[in-house]
Amino acid sequence: LFKELKKLKMISLLKFGICVALAGFVCCFSELTDNIHDGESAYNRYVLEDFVPLSKSHLWKLMMSFYDRNGPQSWTSGGVPNFVTSNSYIANSYAKILQGFFSDCKLNTAAMKLDESEPLYIIELGAGQGKFSFLLLSALEQMQRTLAFPSQKIVYVMTDFTNSNFDAWQRHPALKPFFDSGRLDAAIFNA
C-alpha cells in the first residue's frame, strides 16, 4: 500500500501513519503535522477509498497481487506469519475434531449420516503454501485405524485464488503421495 501511495504522491515520506478500518472499509492515511495542540501531535487524514466492500477495495487488489506474485514464498520468506495456524498441534486438533464428527455421524441418533461408499470431501479455503493441508492429512493418516469413516474415502481439497500456489502444490514432493492416492485434490477458488 505504501508503494501505491507514493505513486499517488499523497504522503509525506518523513512522517506518516496508515489506517485501515475493515468495518465498512475506509482506507485512509494520516500525516503527522508539526502543529502541536495541548502537547499532542496533530494528524491530517486523507481518505483514499470510502466505504466499499473489502473484496472491491484497492487494498484487496494489492493483497491479491502480492500473493499471486509471490506464491508460496509469501510464507517461506517470513513475509506472512503462519505458524499460529499451520503447525502440527493445530492440525492434530482438527484431525481429532474430524474423528469426533465421524463418530457422531455413526450414532443411531445422528442428524447427519455419512455414506461410507461415497467420498467425503473436506474443502480448505485459502490453503496458501499447503503446510496445514499436509499436516492435517498426515494426522488423519496416522489415526486411520481409529477413524469411524474409511480414510481412503476422504478427499481433501486445497483451494486458493492464485495459480502460483495451485501450481506449487502439484509439484510439491510432500503432497505427491496424497495426490497420487486420490486423497488430495486442488482447485482454484476465488470468492
Side-chain angles (χ1 to χ4, degrees):
L1 185 59
F2 178 69
K3 289 178 184 176
E4 293 301 317
L5 293 173
K6 270 179 52 177
K7 288 179 192 172
L8 298 172
K9 297 179 183 174
M10 295 181 68
I11 63 171
S12 162
L13 297 177
L14 299 175
K15 306 174 192 177
F16 72 94
I18 296 175
C19 152
V20 177
L22 297 179
F25 195 73
V26 176
C27 185
C28 63
F29 72 93
S30 300
E31 181 179 30
L32 181 63
T33 65
D34 294 328
N35 300 331
I36 305 296
H37 181 68
D38 295 330
E40 294 184 16
S41 300
Y43 287 89
N44 292 328
R45 283 193 138 176
Y46 304 94
V47 175
L48 302 177
E49 196 166 41
D50 195 15
F51 296 104
V52 297
L54 181 59
S55 63
K56 304 259 189 264
S57 69
H58 187 63
L59 181 62
W60 186 265
K61 291 174 194 157
L62 291 171
M63 186 237 8
M64 288 186 68
S65 174
F66 170 80
Y67 286 112
D68 201 32
R69 276 190 326 272
N70 295 305
Q73 285 73 33
S74 303
W75 295 272
T76 57
S77 68
V80 177
N82 64 20
F83 182 76
V84 75
T85 59
S86 296
N87 62 66
S88 59
Y89 178 80
I90 296 295
N92 288 329
S93 297
Y94 273 78
K96 289 175 185 174
I97 290 168
L98 287 168
Q99 183 180 38
F101 171 73
F102 298 148
S103 296
D104 288 350
C105 290
K106 284 274 197 178
L107 298 173
N108 291 334
T109 57
M112 181 178 172
K113 300 282 187 184
L114 298 177
D115 183 351
E116 293 183 11
S117 67
E118 294 292 325
L120 174 68
Y121 292 93
I122 301 171
I123 301 173
E124 180 182 356
L125 303 178
Q129 68 176 340
K131 184 176 180 181
F132 176 79
S133 306
F134 170 77
L135 293 170
L136 180 62
L137 285 166
S138 298
L140 288 172
E141 188 173 58
Q142 288 176 357
M143 60 174 44
Q144 65 184 328
R145 290 187 192 137
T146 61
L147 290 178
F149 190 84
S151 63
Q152 69 275 14
K153 290 291 189 175
I154 297 171
V155 180
Y156 194 87
V157 182
M158 300 168 66
T159 70
D160 212 315
F161 71 89
T162 177
N163 285 325
S164 58
N165 287 344
F166 180 86
D167 295 339
W169 303 331
Q170 306 294 321
R171 294 186 311 268
H172 202 290
L175 296 174
K176 186 176 178 7
F178 295 113
F179 278 117
D180 290 348
S181 70
R183 292 179 295 147
L184 179 60
D185 200 354
I188 297 293
F189 182 75
N190 188 359

